[in-house]
Amino acid sequence: MQELQRIKDRFENDLSTTGMDLIQLFKKEGIDPLGLGDFVRSKTRNWNEEEWKKEYRTLNVRLNVKVNLTEMGIRK
């Protein structure tokens, strides 16, 4: 069980780090493949696309990664 927890923690850490690196790259390049702008637009009155493009680069984004391993073993 201790090994399983260590694997889960490692996966969560690696996915968080890689995900945040990707999000920083997206923000730097000014692209929004995750659709964050669509989400914000759906929750905001008088949404302005030009303002969003300016705010997007400084947007504070956090990832909450939880890994659930259902099986563990060796495959032949």
Side-chain angles (χ1 to χ4, degrees), residues 26-74:
F26 296 156
K27 288 170 35 176
K28 179 182 174 191
E29 297 295 325
I31 58 176
D32 187 16
L34 301 175
L36 298 175
D38 292 336
F39 178 77
V40 172
R41 184 180 64 222
S42 72
K43 305 287 184 191
T44 307
R45 288 183 186 245
N46 303 323
W47 187 77
N48 183 315
E49 186 172 356
E50 292 305 314
E51 284 183 31
W52 166 250
K53 287 180 181 179
K54 291 176 188 174
E55 291 176 14
Y56 178 62
R57 292 181 189 265
T58 60
L59 188 67
N60 185 16
V61 178
R62 288 184 301 159
L63 292 179
N64 184 12
V65 178
K66 295 292 179 198
V67 172
N68 183 20
L69 297 176
T70 57
E71 291 185 31
M72 193 170 138
I74 299 173

Side-chain angles (χ1 to χ4, degrees), residues 16-29:
S16 290
T17 301
T18 303
M20 286 306 296
D21 289 345
L22 274 173
I23 290 171
Q24 292 303 323
L25 177 65
F26 296 156
K27 288 170 35 176
K28 179 182 174 191
E29 297 295 325

